[in-house]
Amino acid sequence: MDDNLLAASIPMKWVGPIKISGNVADIETAVPLATFESPLWPSVQRGAKISMATETGVTATLIDERMTRSILLEAATAASAYVAVRQITSSTAQLREVAATSSRFIELVGMRPEVIGNLIFLRFEFTTGDASGHNMVTLAADLLMRHILETVPGVSYGSISGNYCTDKKASAVNGILGRGKNVVAELLVPRATVADVLRTSAARIATLNVRKNLIGSIVAGGIRTANAHYANMLLAFYLATGQDAANIVEGSQGITHVEDRDGDLYFSCTLPNLIVGSVGNGKRLDFVEANLTRLGCREVRDVGDGARRLAVIAAATVLCGELSLLAAQTNPGELMQAHVRLERELVSGH
Amino acid sequence: MDDNLLAASIPMKWVGPIKISGNVADIETAVPLATFESPLWPSVQRGAKISMATETGVTATLIDERMTRSILLEAATAASAYVAVRQITSSTAQLREVAATSSRFIELVGMRPEVIGNLIFLRFEFTTGDASGHNMVTLAADLLMRHILETVPGVSYGSISGNYCTDKKASAVNGILGRGKNVVAELLVPRATVADVLRTSAARIATLNVRKNLIGSIVAGGIRTANAHYANMLLAFYLATGQDAANIVEGSQGITHVEDRDGDLYFSCTLPNLIVGSVGNGKRLDFVEANLTRLGCREVRDVGDGARRLAVIAAATVLCGELSLLAAQTNPGELMQAHVRLERELVSGH
Amino acid sequence: MDDNLLAASIPMKWVGPIKISGNVADIETAVPLATFESPLWPSVQRGAKISMATETGVTATLIDERMTRSILLEAATAASAYVAVRQITSSTAQLREVAATSSRFIELVGMRPEVIGNLIFLRFEFTTGDASGHNMVTLAADLLMRHILETVPGVSYGSISGNYCTDKKASAVNGILGRGKNVVAELLVPRATVADVLRTSAARIATLNVRKNLIGSIVAGGIRTANAHYANMLLAFYLATGQDAANIVEGSQGITHVEDRDGDLYFSCTLPNLIVGSVGNGKRLDFVEANLTRLGCREVRDVGDGARRLAVIAAATVLCGELSLLAAQTNPGELMQAHVRLERELVSGH
Amino acid sequence: MDDNLLAASIPMKWVGPIKISGNVADIETAVPLATFESPLWPSVQRGAKISMATETGVTATLIDERMTRSILLEAATAASAYVAVRQITSSTAQLREVAATSSRFIELVGMRPEVIGNLIFLRFEFTTGDASGHNMVTLAADLLMRHILETVPGVSYGSISGNYCTDKKASAVNGILGRGKNVVAELLVPRATVADVLRTSAARIATLNVRKNLIGSIVAGGIRTANAHYANMLLAFYLATGQDAANIVEGSQGITHVEDRDGDLYFSCTLPNLIVGSVGNGKRLDFVEANLTRLGCREVRDVGDGARRLAVIAAATVLCGELSLLAAQTNPGELMQAHVRLERELVSGH
C-alpha cells in the first residue's frame, strides 16, 4: 500500500444563509456543501433564499435519536432460541450496565429480537452523545455479545453484525424502528413567494409531489422513500462536515409531503435516518473542524447538542434543495435550461 | 453565496494492487480510495492481497450497461393513456433519431412505459459512452418529451423526471430493469489461503453470508440488497475518481453469493447498478485526472471503454472489502480488535 | 388422508350490476363474491350503484397480459453464466418453438435473465389463452429447461422455479416486468353523486388517498402497493370464479390514484397482476361453471377473451369496493357504524 | 343485490395427521384444506407423513401475538404533531383504559407513532383473545381516536385506518413490528427419511433454499419474504377454518431457513403474521364449527388458547407443504411428473 496519505479535494462552497427554527436551534446559518455537481449550490441557494423570506424559516423538529447494532446468535432450535430471547429481554437492566461500561457517552435505550428458525437477530438501540456512534455501538455490542454468551445457555456466536442494524443498506427497518436522528423539516411559503421566486404555484408543486415522489417512487418499487434527490444534499453536507457519507444510503430514504394551503405552500421533508456526529472519525481534519465550528457545533453545551444541531441543519439543507428542484420540474424545460446555463458559466469562468 | 471555491480534502490512499481479469480488463492495478474511515484501507488491502495470491484474480464480468431517465406524462384517462403509449412504443425508430440529435455519444436502447391511472411513466434507457450520463439522459429526455408532446395527442407535461428512473433512491426498478453497469466480480480462493490470510474457512464464510447478508437483509426489510458494506467501498472509490457519489444509494444494492467448494471459497459480488464515467462532471479536477490516468481509464480506445474499465475496477474493489469484512466477522472479537488496533496506530502516528 | 371429498361452503352473493366499458367489454353485470366478511357485499354494492349512475361506468382498460415462470440454472462462474445467457438469448426463435410444443395455447413472448454470481435466473413470459396458466407455464418451462440443458454447455439444473417468477409472493418484479393481466379501472363520478351517495367530496377522497394509500403505505414499508383493501374484493371474486385465490398476494399490489377535478371525482385502480382464467383447475365445479356462464365468460369467442373479460370485471369490482371504503373513511365513525349496523342486521336475520 | 345467499363450495379434504409439539400444543391432528388446487393435498400429506416419522414432529413455537390498527391524525405542522405525540405517548395508561371499554377481550399492549410532515400515523397494538380481531381493533381504535381528538389539542381526524396497520397489504411493517401470531415451525428430519421419503438430501434442499427462496426472492425485489409457496397452504387452511383469508397477503411473508446438519435436515418456517381466530366472523358456519371442533379449538380453556392452537397448526401445515415442494424441486422433472400423474388420476376418477 502507498503509505503517503493523499487527499481527494472535493469542491466546496458555503451556501445560504438558511433560516432555521424548531426544538433544537433557532439560527440563520450558511451551510458547507462539498460536491462534484456544481448545480447543487444554486439549487440549495434558491431554497435558502426562500427560507429567509419567511418569518420562521425552516422549522426543523427532532423527533427521535438512537444508533443501532444488531448481533446474530445461533441456537439449536427456535424453541431454545425463544427461551434465550426471553432470558435476554428479562435482563435488560443488566445489559444496560454492561453497555455503559464501554463508554461514558453510550446508553442502551432499546432492544428488539427477531427469531428466524434457530437464529436470533438482536437489535440494540443506543444513544451515543455527540458521536454518530458507529464504533461506539460496535464496541458496546461486542461487550453485550460476550455477556450474553457467558450468561445465556444455548446460544453461540453468529456475527457481531447481523444486518438487522442495518448500516448503509436500503431497507425498511431503519425507518420503522429508528436509526440516527429522526428530523422533520417544514416550511410555509407564502403564495407570492412561490410565484415570484419559484415561478410556480403551491398547487402545481403539490400535484407534482404526489405524482413523482409518491406514485413514481411506488411504481419504481421504492422502499420507504418518496423524494426527488435527498441523497445529493446529504452527500454534500456529510462530506463537508466529516460524516461517514455512506450513510446517505439510509439517509436518503425520506418522505416529501406537500400541501396546497389556499395558495400558500406547505412543504415538508421527513428524514428518519440522519446519522451525524460532531465528534469522532473525520472530525479532526482541519476543514472539518473549521466547518463544524462555523456551524456552531463545537461550542460547549450539553452532551449531544452538537450532533442534534448538525442533524437539523442537514434536514433544513435537504429541504432547500428538494423544494428548489421540485419547483423547477413543474416547469417544462426549466431544469435543462438551468443545467445548460450553469455549464456555460462554468466553461466561461463565472 | 460565498463565491470562493473551497475544498473538502478527503483523506485518500492507493490500495492494492488488485489482480483483475474478465471480459473488460486483465490487469493488476492499485485503486484510490478517499474516505474518512481509515479502517477501510487495510480491509480492502487484505482482499487485494488475496486476489494477488490467486491465478486469475478477481474475474469481473460486465453483464450489461445502460443509463435511464423516466418522464412523466399526464392523460385525461387510462384509456387515452393506453392509446398514447401504443403510439409511443410504435414510433421507437423515430424516438431513437430524436435522442441521437442530443449527443453523438447517446443511443436510445430501450423504453418501458407504465400506466398508473391516467398517468404515464415512461422510462428511457440509453447508452452514454464514457460518461455516467446523468446530464446526457436528461437532455435527451427533454428532447424526447418535446417530440412526444408535439406528436402524440392527448398527453401533457407531467415531469421531466418521474422517479421511475430512478436516480439515487432505494428501489427495485434499477436492479430489475438495469441502470448503470451490471458487473459480477468473483474470486476462487484456495482453502489454504482462506485459512492463512483470512484465518477462517470457506464453510464459515458461506454460513455467515447466508445468515447475515441473505436472511439478515430480508429480516431488515431490505430491497434487492444482500451484502455487508458495498456502500463503503463504492463511496471511497467514487470520490477518488470524480463520480457522482450519491449513486452509491443504488450502487450499494448488490448481492454477495458465496459457496464452499470442497474447502475452497467461491466468493462473488453482483453489482447491477454501477453508475460511473471516465468523462463528465468532476473528471477535470487535477486529482481525478491523475487517478483516472493511473487507473488506465484515460488512454485512447473505443468509446465506452474507459467507463467500463472503471466499473470492473470498482466491482473488484468492492469484492476485496466485502471478503475481508465477512471473513473478520466469522471470528468473534476480530472486528473490534482490528478497530482498536487501528485507532491506536492512528493516535500514535503509525 | 381422508378420501372423502368435502366442501367448504363459503357464503356467496351476487352484487351489482356494475356498468363496465373499455377495450375488452361494454357490459352491465352483477358479480359473484364469496366471502366470510359480509360487509363486503354492501360495500361493493354501493360502488356498483355509483357506476350505474354514470354514463360510461367503470372504464376498464387492459394494458398487458402475460404469465411467467423462472427457472434457475447453475454455472461454474459468472463468466461462464454470461456466455450461457448470451447463447440462450440469441436462440429465442428456437425456444419459442420448444415452448409451443407444450400446448397449442401457449406462446413464449418474452424472456429476462439475471446473473447473480454463478447463478442464472431466467424468467420466461408466455401468453396462455383463457387459462391463468400456472400449469401451462410450468410444463413449458420444464421443456425449455431440458432443451437448454441439452444445448447450452456449462449450465446445470438449479430449480424448475427460481422465485423470480414470482408466484404468490410479495415482491416488485411482477409489477415491473408484468405477470397476469394488467388492468386499469377508472370512474368519473359527478360532484352531486359523490355528495349524495358517498356523503363526501372529491377533495376529501383525494386527500385521504394521498395520506393513507400513498404515504401510509410508504411509511409501512409497502412494496408497489397503495390501496385500502384490494385483497378483499379479489379474494371474494377469485373464490366465486374458481381462480387460484392465493394469487391475491400479488394481485393486491395495486395503486389507487384519485383526482379532484373541479369537484368531480376521478377515481382509478391500477391492478398490474390479475391472474385469472376462464378454463383450467377449478373451473369445472358446478357453481363455478354457473358463475362464469352468467358473467359471459364461457361463450364462444376468440382465444383469451374469456380470461380478459374476467380480468376487467375483477378490476371493476375492486374499484367499487375501494371507492366505497375510502369514501366511508373520510367520515369519522362511519366505518364503525356501518359495521355495527350490519352485525345487528345479521343477528336479527335481515 | 340478490338477497339469496348462495355458497361457493370449495373442495376440501382432511390431510394428515401431522405430529406437532411446542409451547402451545402437543398433538397429532389431521388438518382441513379447502382449495381448487388438488395437488396441494398430497403435497402436504407427504410432509405430514414425515412429521409422523420423527420423534417430536413439527415443533411450533409461538413467539408473539398482537393485532393492530393505525389511525391517521392531522396537525398543522410537524412541530405541533410532535407535541401531540408526546402527550399521547405519555397517556398510555389512560388509553389502555379507553381501549378496555370496547371489549372485555381486548387489551392495548403497544403503540407506535410516526410523524410524517404534519401527519401522525399512530399504530395501536392489542391482544384480542380468541378472535383474529379485525373488528375489535377497529372498534377500539374508534374509541381511542375519539378520546384523543377530545383530549389532545392541535390534532384532527385523518382516517380511522392510515395503512400503517397494515391489513392485507405487502409491506415490511407487520413483520418488523408484529401483527397476528408470530410462529416458528421446525422439523429435524433424519438423513434416511430425507432419502427414502423425499428422494433427496439435506444438502440439496439447503442449497436450493439458499438459491431459490433467499437469493431468488431478493432478486425478485421481494419484501420480507423467502419461501416457495406459503400462500397456498395458508389459503386452504384459512378457508377451511373460517378465517379472513385475505390475510394470506401478509401471512405469506415468511422465511424458510434450512440447515444440513451432517446429513440430517433441519427445516424451519418462520411465519410472523398469522392472523387467525377461533371465534368471530365466519366461525358459526356449520363446516367451520365442525372443523374447529375436530381441530380441538373449541374446547373450554384459557382465553386465547383456541386462536393460538389454530396458529401453530397453521404453521405446521405450512411447513409440511413447503418441505414437500422444495424437496420435489431438487429433482429435475419431479414437479411436472407429479402434476401430470395427478391430473391423470383426477380424470380417471382416482
Side-chain angles (χ1 to χ4, degrees), chain A residues 62-66 172-184 224-225 227 230 234 238 250-255 269-275 315, chain C residues 219, chain D residues 114-116:
Chain A
L62 179 78
I63 305 286
D64 187 55
E65 59 178 324
R66 60 193 63 236
V173 71
N174 289 345
I176 290 173
L177 291 182
R179 190 171 205 251
K181 316 294 194 218
N182 182 341
V183 179
V184 184
R224 269 195 74 102
T225 189
N227 65 76
Y230 288 10
L234 284 180
Y238 280 9
E250 61 264 63
S252 68
Q253 292 182 262
I255 298 174
C269 295
T270 300
L271 293 134
N273 301 119
L274 294 173
I275 297 175
Chain C
V219 172
Chain D
E114 293 252 359
V115 177
I116 307 292

Side-chain angles (χ1 to χ4, degrees), chain B residues 15 85 91 139 181 187 197 208 271 273-274 287 302 306 316 346:
Chain B
V15 171
V85 161
S91 63
L139 178 54
K181 315 296 194 218
L187 180 65
V197 184
L208 177 64
L271 293 134
N273 301 120
L274 294 174
F287 80 93
D302 287 344
L346 289 169

